Amino acid sequence: MVSAVIGTQWGDEGKAKVIDLLACKYDYVVRYQGGANAGHTVVIGNKKFIFHLLPSGLMNPNATVVIANGVVVDLQQLEEEIESLEALGFPTRSRVIISDKAHIVMEYHKIIDQLRESLSPKKIGTTARGIGPCYEDKIARKGIKICDLVNLSASQLAEKIKLVSQEKVFLIKNLYNYDYDFDPVKLAQECKEKFEKLGIRVENTEILLNEEIKRGKNILFEGAQGVLLDIDFGTYPYVTSSNASTNGVGSGAGVTRLDNVIGIVKAYTTRVGEGPFPTEQDNEIGEKLRARGDEFGATTGRPRRCGWLDIPLLRYSTIVANVNEIFLTKLDVLSEFEEIKVCVEYELNGEKMRIPRSMDPVTLYSIKPVYKTFKGWKTKISGVRTFRELPSEAKEYIKFIESEIGVPIKYISVGPSREQTIVL
Ligand code: IMP
């Protein structure tokens, strides 16, 4: 079985819980895009861990985890994550395989990301982890890759870093007026030492994964962020710099065969950073969703913008990501609401849209969401383990979402731990 878990909104749908729950069925769990901008929180008993770079299937002892070629890797972050997990008692180092083709987030990428965000009049609201500038270098063929750390001598690597970073240092100094310089020889040495210290296996992961698929092994691809943050299909330019949808698995891991795509849908909508958000509730409803759902960024701690479920966007994202089953998360967060709204279509100058005509912010800022109102269930559901036991109002809400999106809901999460899951 080759599966992918994909966020269908603007990230933070609760993918990590899903991956942690499903990882026991898989031999490999693979990150294929993004970097330490992700914040995947897993709760096991009273232990909570936030994954940024490592796949969150790692807490499952049988899975080998892979950081494939499409990921951009911050070596410092990776080391910290491995050390923290090992300190918590999870054998990690020996179970991580990294692609020789993954690109490295250098210090100058992070500096550019931070300076751009602080100086630009039109902010994206990035996580400032250097993700965009690192992918820019990848596309411009000026990146430093894991294979460079392995195959080049320190002096060869220093030469390469010097050559590819010239433009960046110029930009930082002259456009952003920031006093920055570094010694390429020292940096090359540091990078090589940091990587060696990690002690993880380097592989041609696209060959490894395809061969393992042929042998009948089970592989789970862990998407970070979500379809609406995808560089091609999201609300550009308010997106991340990678293919966060299913499309990223091909380019980011070299695997083009998928048996199923599990789309993660949060029972309401959130977004961090700037950009259009048609169902946003910038009022006490949004505040209540934020407080009940603990909607604060796992990477940056920023309060997330909150609003009602947006079916037109979900129709779009589930089609684009080829989702064939839905895992509905955080349903319990809605338990205290008197009434719950769902956006069923958009209206623009008298025209009705079931799927947004364009993902362009100009369109999404202009449309008017049309809502259907549901009666709330006003009772705790965190202890419920079967669909039958759910209050009738909750069942009605779930069935409506399923029929409007047109994809079966196979799992419902009613709390952060593995056990708080209803399988349909
Ligand atoms: P970047 O990925 O740091 O460049 O940020 C670009 C946009 O994606 C910003 O709006 C971020 O808030 C958003 N973003 C990046 N990673 C995540 C995530 O894991 N969850 C939610 N939003 C994210």
Side-chain angles (χ1 to χ4, degrees):
M1 171 80 90
V2 185
S3 311
V5 166
I6 305 288
T8 59
Q9 293 152 313
W10 281 290
D12 308 317
E13 298 92 353
K15 293 181 288 294
K17 165 180 164 160
V18 175
I19 288 149
D20 175 60
L21 183 78
L22 300 179
C24 59
K25 299 186 194 164
Y26 292 88
D27 302 296
Y28 290 89
V29 183
V30 185
R31 274 281 305 268
Y32 60 88
Q33 48 74 231
N37 47 352
H40 293 170
T41 311
V42 174
V43 179
I44 300 174
N46 56 3
K47 280 186 187 169
K48 175 173 163 178
F49 191 80
I50 302 176
F51 290 86
H52 296 284
L53 264 172
L54 288 169
S56 32
L58 204 139
M59 282 183 167
N60 195 296
N62 302 322
T64 298
V65 300
V66 175
I67 299 175
N69 58 283
V71 178
V72 289
V73 182
D74 180 332
L75 296 174
Q76 186 64 36
Q77 175 65 43
L78 189 54
E79 173 62 15
E80 283 167 21
E81 223 164 295
I82 291 175
E83 277 181 1
S84 322
L85 276 162
E86 298 214 315
L88 282 174
F90 295 97
T92 304
R93 227 171 276 276
S94 57
R95 294 168 52 215
V96 181
I97 303 177
I98 193 164
S99 164
D100 64 327
K101 298 171 189 66
H103 281 245
I104 298 165
V105 179
M106 305 293 280
E107 187 186 39
Y108 47 79
H109 294 136
K110 291 192 250 187
I111 293 177
I112 292 177
D113 202 3
Q114 285 156 16
L115 289 171
R116 263 190 202 151
E117 278 293 288
S118 59
L119 299 174
S120 164
K122 208 160 184 196
K123 297 184 196 319
I124 301 292
T126 75
T127 59
R129 296 292 193 269
I131 306 298
C134 183
Y135 278 117
E136 284 170 30
D137 269 359
K138 174 176 177 172
I139 301 300
R141 294 156 293 183
K142 289 188 184 299
I144 303 292
K145 307 209 289 183
I146 296 291
C147 59
D148 294 326
L149 305 189
V150 179
N151 298 339
L152 300 182
S153 68
S155 61
Q156 285 169 325
L157 180 63
E159 266 312 299
K160 182 161 187 181
I161 292 176
K162 195 173 160 196
L163 195 72
V164 298
S165 65
Q166 264 169 2
E167 285 171 6
K168 259 77 65 184
V169 176
F170 184 85
L171 184 83
I172 293 171
K173 280 183 170 169
N174 298 292
L175 185 67
Y176 299 134
N177 296 318
Y178 184 79
D179 188 19
Y180 174 69
D181 225 335
F182 62 86
D183 175 1
V185 176
K186 219 170 127 212
L187 184 60
Q189 197 60 46
E190 273 170 20
C191 288
K192 275 179 83 73
E193 279 168 13
K194 261 191 206 149
F195 188 67
E196 250 168 60
K197 192 172 160 224
L198 284 177
I200 56 176
R201 218 167 105 197
V202 182
E203 283 244 16
N204 223 335
T205 53
E206 62 280 21
I207 298 297
L208 170 84
L209 293 171
N210 281 295
E211 284 183 342
E212 290 293 70
I213 290 170
K214 270 195 199 146
R215 277 192 206 111
K217 298 281 187 195
N218 297 316
I219 319 267
L220 180 63
F221 290 97
E222 170 173 348
Q225 293 85 44
V227 179
L228 305 178
L229 285 172
D230 182 282
I231 184 81
D232 283 290
F233 300 114
T235 49
Y236 190 93
Y238 303 102
V239 290
T240 191
S241 300
S242 63
N243 281 125
S245 183
T246 317
N247 53 350
V249 177
S251 58
V255 172
T256 49
R257 186 199 115 184
L258 282 176
D259 299 312
N260 75 322
V261 179
I262 305 157
I264 316 303
V265 175
K266 183 150 64 180
Y268 50 95
T269 314
T270 59
R271 153 159 231 174
V272 215
E274 305 301 316
F277 182 173
T279 59
E280 181 169 16
Q281 299 297 303
D282 192 9
N283 52 32
E284 70 272 19
I285 292 170
E287 278 163 27
K288 193 166 162 180
L289 284 169
R290 188 176 308 119
R292 299 286 179 275
D294 193 20
E295 296 293 354
F296 295 89
T299 300
T300 58
R302 289 178 289 178
R304 296 179 185 141
R305 299 157 64 193
C306 297
W308 297 121
L309 196 69
D310 188 325
I311 301 271
L313 283 178
L314 287 168
R315 289 191 190 108
Y316 175 83
S317 61
T318 50
I319 291 171
V320 163
N322 200 18
V323 169
N324 61 291
E325 55 185 73
I326 287 176
F327 197 128
L328 184 69
T329 60
K330 296 188 102 166
L331 186 68
D332 53 303
V333 172
L334 298 178
S335 290
E336 283 174 40
F337 285 82
E338 227 27 270
E339 52 179 40
I340 298 161
K341 290 189 177 185
V342 177
C343 169
V344 287
E345 59 185 3
Y346 292 164
E347 216 177 77
L348 181 63
N349 306 324
E351 182 201 347
K352 295 262 169 76
M353 282 178 248
R354 278 178 59 77
I355 296 180
R357 189 177 63 204
S358 167
M359 294 300 278
D360 177 18
V362 174
T363 308
L364 291 179
Y365 277 128
S366 321
I367 57 92
K368 193 171 150 281
V370 179
Y371 290 103
K372 177 174 165 67
T373 305
F374 288 82
K375 193 162 167 267
W377 44 93
K378 299 281 288 169
T379 173
K380 281 210 167 90
I381 56 168
S382 322
V384 174
R385 295 291 175 271
T386 62
F387 186 75
R388 201 167 39 82
E389 287 172 83
L390 281 170
S392 58
E393 295 87 349
K395 285 182 190 156
E396 195 192 334
Y397 184 69
I398 295 160
K399 285 292 157 199
F400 180 79
I401 297 168
E402 185 176 64
S403 73
E404 288 296 310
I405 301 175
V407 179
I409 295 177
K410 291 283 181 71
Y411 308 85
I412 300 161
S413 170
V414 290
S417 73
R418 280 179 190 166
E419 304 74 47
Q420 291 172 302
T421 306
I422 298 171
V423 182
L424 280 90

